[in-house]
Amino acid sequence: MFQSDIQVRVRYAETDQMKYVYYGNYAIYFEVARVECLRNLGLEYKILEDVHHVMMPVLEQYSKYIRPAMYDDLLTIKTSIAELPQTRIRFEYEIYNQNNTLIHKAYTVLAFVHTQTLKPVHCPDVFLNLLKPFYS
């Protein structure tokens, strides 16, 4: 399994009137975590689109809110890819606060789609070849 960790500091603009991170902002955190996950693997999302003509729209998103994140919290987002992708890929997320308390669990499922035809395609070989060493 491949795993990547990033840190995000909660900005004031991401909170609601209760001073909690507004629930819609978690989708932004997941997008940031996915892009950095690919970068940590050695692949830039921009290269997937510009060179390999593949984009990855989100098909599903699930979130379980365990505890709130609050303004100025330093969050660690652990992103993992549990299985080798085919025409879809599932990213799993765990978010921890600065006290190392698990506050959120989630996953997203994305499809691999050709940028011009908008038809589903298999995961690009360049992506698979980078992932394969992490799976038996």
Side-chain angles (χ1 to χ4, degrees):
M1 173 171 68
F2 180 74
Q3 182 175 308
S4 170
D5 296 356
I6 67 159
Q7 290 191 312
V8 174
R9 173 106 30 212
V10 175
R11 294 171 292 258
Y12 186 78
E14 296 165 348
T15 62
D16 61 17
Q17 191 172 12
M18 297 180 292
K19 300 185 175 121
Y20 294 175
V21 169
Y22 178 70
Y23 77 95
N25 287 318
Y26 284 90
I28 296 169
Y29 294 162
F30 303 151
E31 191 268 337
V32 170
R34 280 194 306 274
V35 169
E36 294 305 315
C37 178
L38 294 182
R39 189 181 311 277
N40 291 338
L41 185 61
L43 181 63
E44 294 178 36
Y45 188 84
K46 184 170 175 38
I47 298 296
L48 274 179
E49 289 184 338
D50 294 348
V51 175
H52 300 284
H53 307 289
V54 172
M55 59 184 173
M56 298 164 53
V58 174
L59 300 176
E60 297 177 39
Q61 178 179 315
Y62 168 80
S63 283
K64 179 170 178 70
Y65 303 89
I66 301 167
R67 293 177 179 241
M70 313 217 25
Y71 169 65
D72 207 39
D73 280 356
L74 182 61
L75 306 179
T76 299
I77 306 171
K78 297 179 179 288
T79 306
S80 60
I81 303 169
E83 298 178 347
L84 281 172
Q86 295 179 15
T87 57
R88 295 179 180 195
I89 185 168
R90 179 176 163 138
F91 291 90
E92 298 181 8
Y93 314 93
E94 290 183 342
I95 302 178
Y96 295 83
N97 65 15
Q98 64 273 1
N99 300 319
N100 204 31
T101 301
L102 178 66
I103 64 167
H104 195 98
K105 291 181 81 164
Y107 70 82
T108 54
V109 177
L110 291 79
F112 295 99
V113 175
H114 193 278
T115 56
Q116 294 168 346
T117 67
L118 303 180
K119 300 219 184 247
V121 295
H122 283 281
C123 177
D125 288 340
V126 65
F127 194 177
L128 277 177
N129 291 338
L130 290 168
L131 281 173
K132 281 181 183 176
F134 297 94
Y135 303 84
S136 334

